[in-house]
Amino acid sequence: MDPLEIAAGLEAHGITDRTAARFRHRDVFSLAEELYARSPREQVPAAAPTPVPAGPSAFRGFGCALLPGALAFGAAAAGQAWAGPAAVAATVAALVWPGRAAGGRLPSLAHLLAAAAVGWAAYRHGTPLAVGLALAVAPGHLVATAFAAGARARLDGSRALEDFADRTRPLLIAAVAVFTGAAAGAAALAGTPLPVAVPFALLLFLTRLLLRHGAHRGPVCAALALALIPVPAAVLAAAAGLLVHAVLALSRASAHARP
């Protein structure tokens, strides 16, 4: 562990800068540095580091993110009857993957609700919607990875929890804006109406972010359940509500601690 990990853990347990001031520290980061200095650590010989190239790993991750769109778009272009179900399955599988990486658990209620919502939307609006959502997986992966790296860099450079939150919220809004544009492009490529596809893609993108960063799953499940209501404004309301929750949850330092 390092002081940043301790600071994130303190915040996750409700320790604020005001609480740290009671211990004569200017903020949680200063308190974490003292805790780190006081913690006993065994002096073990440093093992020779094994070089792990980041490039191939990143390419493999992006390659996996390309599979849902490629599978769905290829099946739809070939006129296969199973194109819609394949797009639904591939899109939901892309949500399960980062969720398993974060918690190491099997698909939870949030994933089951996502599968139901995507399947119901594809049934109501047709295969092009499912294909558009599958095509949005790859840009969603890139934007989510860039957001995680940017938030981690801001955590490294912050000296107070409020400072970190103020620097992270604009990053999240920018990530949402970039993904929204990419989702609109994916919907246009699939030939599905933007007002239907973009809010649904944004809902799934926010679900991915929140699951990956270990946020509480209750609001995620509530938003996905709301998206099951067969009312045009339901998905838009679900995405807007989940965005508000994401701004609050993902501006916390504890959401960006190293796994």
Side-chain angles (χ1 to χ4, degrees), residues 21-38:
R22 292 168 48 195
F23 300 97
R24 299 181 181 180
H25 283 275
R26 65 182 181 275
D27 51 41
V28 170
F29 289 84
S30 176
L31 176 60
E33 288 172 354
E34 178 178 343
L35 291 174
Y36 180 76
R38 288 174 177 264

Side-chain angles (χ1 to χ4, degrees), residues 72-188:
F73 191 76
Q80 298 295 326
W82 48 267
V88 172
T91 302
V92 176
L95 289 178
V96 176
W97 173 35
R100 287 173 63 94
R105 290 177 287 185
L106 292 174
S108 65
L109 177 61
H111 300 112
L112 297 177
L113 285 172
V118 176
W120 176 235
Y123 174 77
R124 291 172 57 208
H125 300 286
T127 297
L129 174 63
V131 173
L133 296 177
L135 288 172
V137 169
H141 169 80
L142 291 177
V143 174
T145 301
F147 168 73
R152 186 68 201 184
R154 282 159 176 76
L155 180 59
D156 290 341
S158 297
R159 296 305 309 165
L161 297 178
E162 290 82 359
D163 176 44
F164 172 74
D166 291 341
R167 299 173 65 188
T168 305
R169 290 189 191 103
L171 179 66
L172 175 61
I173 297 302
V176 169
V178 171
F179 175 77
T180 300

Side-chain angles (χ1 to χ4, degrees), residues 165-255:
D166 291 341
R167 299 173 65 188
T168 305
R169 290 189 191 103
L171 179 66
L172 175 61
I173 297 302
V176 169
V178 171
F179 175 77
T180 300
L189 184 61
T192 189
L194 299 189
V196 175
V198 173
F200 220 110
L202 180 58
L203 177 64
L204 296 179
F205 174 69
L206 293 172
T207 297
R208 182 195 194 282
L209 278 184
L210 290 165
L211 293 181
R212 180 63 183 90
H213 290 276
H216 292 296
R217 301 191 178 193
V220 175
C221 292
L224 292 170
L226 178 59
L228 286 168
I229 300 176
V231 176
V235 176
L236 184 59
L242 201 57
L243 176 59
V244 173
H245 174 63
V247 170
L248 297 175
L250 299 180
S251 60
R252 294 171 57 88
S254 53

